[in-house]
Amino acid sequence: MTKNAIVLGAGIVGVSTAIHLQRRGRQVTLIDRKDPGNETSFGNAGLIQREGVAPYGFPQQLGLLLRYALNNRIDAHYHLRTLPSQVAFLARYWWNSNARRHAIITRAYAPLIANSVVEHKDLIEASQAEGLIRKDGWMKIFRTEAKRDGALAEAALWQNEFGVEYDSLTPADIARMEPHITGDFAGGIRWRDPWSVLDPHALTSAYRRYFESLGGRFVTGDAASLGQFGSGWKIMTREGPLEAEDAVMALGPWAAVATRRLGYSFPLGVKRGYHMHYATEGNAVLNNWTLDAERGYLLAPMNRGIRLTTGAEFATLDAPKTPVQLDRAEAVARTIFPLGGRLDPEPWMGARPCTPDMMPVIGKAPRHQGLWFAFGHAHHGLTLGPVTGRVLAELITGETPFIDIAAYSPQRFNP
């Protein structure tokens, strides 16, 4: 008999996992409170970051930490009243970001990143979503020679160890590639390998349609109703109760709450982020996904307009929006590129689920049969959705995952 599986969470990770399970002969139901791709997967920078072998670490330099403490930056912001509840997570995050430990984590993390583009390619072609993709990389531009040179030295190391390809950009290169960007930039980096997505929500929706074409289905339901039933799992949905042998929790920033109901305690934090779309003035065109590296915001030429994305906001998941970073970023961005009016009625906000060792949680639940976890992808959820879906589906169906996923095991946190 065909085994049933349910996947909780219809972001890019959940949809990708559902596809790979359905391909392997499971009858899969994808479940979420909202339509697929409407939460964290909706609001990213739209990059499949093949170059992102090193996860984003916590600053180590005392001077930089003091500047962050002023709470007036674009790349990071915090809610003072919630810091006490986040101290334990932030302390472990800071500890793991030490240069020696971060290097070890980077080597463990790199196999996921190395396969990010090829696994997306598989699903992009299968879902006929090629029209949403560009394959010409993205660039970082620097205001000072010191930051430029440091970034280039790091890029050279990554190229040697991880095969990441890049070009060094002069100020003249930037002017040629982006004639409508102005400012005294010292140079930059163009990462060659990454792909970019013109509409991240549309890509998740395309993957959802492909999943349904394989015989899978999507229904509305709430993960809070998940419970053990005999040797499997049962959940209430809008269409009634649903039973399955296997259940996957791909719930992004809500995973900590959902797993806690089942007796687990994962040290999952959140980094909130904002975006807004803008028109352009006159005939201005932005050709590349462009990070103003020393200010900490990114401009992306998407289908809906120029998307401006911010850095990280440290706050509780349910705290009210405080888009001060977006206002700061917009003011700076207008000095280098002729942004027009805002196109969205209000800033979008989402939350990235983060572990203190900067690696996702992928694997079997330590104390439950038929329960599987796939969350904690931080800044690389879009990037790592398909490769996560493949390795977890291989594990669930008894195959040997095509890369070693031991470093991402839920058991490393002894939850």
Side-chain angles (χ1 to χ4, degrees):
M1 293 179 63
T2 300
K3 289 187 176 181
N4 294 329
I6 55 179
V7 177
L8 304 177
I12 191 71
V13 175
V15 172
S16 299
T17 303
I19 287 171
H20 280 285
L21 283 170
Q22 191 73 28
R23 282 179 167 182
R24 286 164 173 76
R26 297 298 171 93
Q27 183 54 53
V28 183
T29 303
L30 182 64
I31 300 173
D32 204 318
R33 295 175 299 177
K34 298 182 178 180
D35 283 341
N38 272 289
E39 292 287 0
T40 306
S41 295
F42 187 92
N44 51 75
L47 287 169
I48 302 170
Q49 288 191 258
R50 170 63 184 89
E51 93 296 342
V53 290
Y56 292 93
F58 197 91
Q60 300 289 293
Q61 303 91 342
L62 179 59
L64 183 56
L65 288 171
L66 291 174
R67 290 196 292 275
Y68 279 120
L70 297 175
N71 211 20
N72 60 3
R73 296 174 63 96
I74 294 170
D75 56 346
H77 180 70
Y78 60 89
H79 287 191
L80 183 61
R81 71 169 69 87
T82 65
L83 277 184
S85 66
Q86 298 178 314
V87 165
F89 169 80
L90 293 174
R92 292 177 68 176
Y93 182 18
W94 172 84
W95 189 84
N96 280 308
S97 299
N98 169 278
R100 182 183 63 83
R101 286 181 286 273
H102 191 263
I104 294 170
I105 289 167
T106 295
R107 285 190 285 274
Y109 189 65
L112 282 175
I113 292 291
N115 289 280
S116 58
V117 169
V118 68
E119 292 303 318
H120 262 288
K121 180 176 184 291
D122 172 21
L123 300 193
I124 288 164
E125 292 176 351
S127 62
Q128 300 181 339
E130 292 92 337
L132 294 171
I133 304 300
R134 283 178 43 178
K135 303 177 183 180
D136 50 2
W138 68 286
M139 69 182 198
K140 299 170 97 171
I141 55 178
F142 298 91
R143 294 168 179 263
T144 66
E145 293 180 357
K147 291 292 186 181
R148 177 203 64 194
D149 293 346
L152 287 170
E154 187 174 57
L157 292 174
W158 293 352
Q159 183 180 54
N160 291 334
E161 186 167 358
F162 304 111
V164 174
E165 298 294 331
Y166 71 96
D167 297 315
S168 175
L169 303 178
T170 66
D173 292 328
I174 295 171
R176 174 179 51 81
M177 296 169 68
E178 293 294 349
H180 292 103
I181 284 182
T182 58
D184 189 19
F185 290 98
I189 294 175
R190 183 180 75 88
W191 300 109
R192 299 181 198 167
D193 303 312
W195 290 4
S196 47
V197 183
L198 293 165
D199 186 335
H201 178 252
L203 184 66
T204 305
S205 297
Y207 287 2
R208 177 256 184 102
R209 291 190 295 272
Y210 170 58
F211 162 67
E212 291 175 332
S213 77
L214 296 174
R217 64 179 186 135
F218 170 78
V219 300
T220 302
D222 191 340
S225 65
L226 180 72
Q228 288 184 284
F229 184 77
S231 60
W233 297 89
K234 184 176 182 179
I235 189 171
M236 291 300 300
T237 75
R238 183 171 290 181
E239 298 180 8
L242 182 67
E243 300 171 14
E245 288 86 353
D246 292 292
V248 177
M249 286 191 166
L251 292 164
W254 294 274
V257 175
T259 56
R260 194 175 300 125
R261 293 191 184 101
L262 297 172
Y264 295 95
S265 179
F266 286 99
L268 198 68
V270 297
K271 295 182 189 177
R272 306 199 314 178
Y274 298 84
H275 82 230
M276 172 61 66
H277 293 100
Y278 298 82
T280 60
E281 292 184 349
N283 63 349
V285 174
L286 183 69
N287 296 310
N288 295 274
W289 271 244
T290 304
L291 177 68
D292 187 350
E294 287 153 277
R295 295 295 183 268
Y297 66 91
L298 182 138
L299 295 172
M302 293 194 177
N303 286 345
R304 297 178 182 226
I306 305 297
R307 179 179 288 191
L308 186 156
T309 67
T310 68
E313 180 181 64
F314 293 92
T316 57
L317 182 60
D318 57 354
K321 287 183 181 181
T322 51
V324 294
Q325 290 163 285
L326 184 68
D327 295 336
R328 295 169 187 161
E330 179 183 324
V332 176
R334 289 187 181 279
T335 69
I336 72 163
F337 184 83
L339 292 175
R342 291 186 172 193
L343 299 177
D344 303 324
E346 63 176 325
W348 180 90
M349 184 196 76
R352 310 172 186 98
C354 306
T355 63
D357 66 2
M358 295 158 279
M359 293 191 293
V361 175
I362 305 172
K364 184 183 180 301
R367 297 188 298 277
H368 290 85
Q369 187 65 29
L371 182 64
W372 310 85
F373 298 147
F375 53 81
H377 293 78
H379 296 263
H380 289 148
L382 175 64
T383 295
L384 298 179
V387 64
T388 297
R390 176 178 169 181
V391 295
L392 187 59
E394 289 171 341
L395 191 65
I396 292 170
T397 57
E399 301 175 47
T400 300
F402 80 106
I403 59 173
D404 184 1
I405 62 172
Y408 324 128
S409 169
Q411 299 194 50
R412 73 187 192 270
F413 292 119
N414 192 26

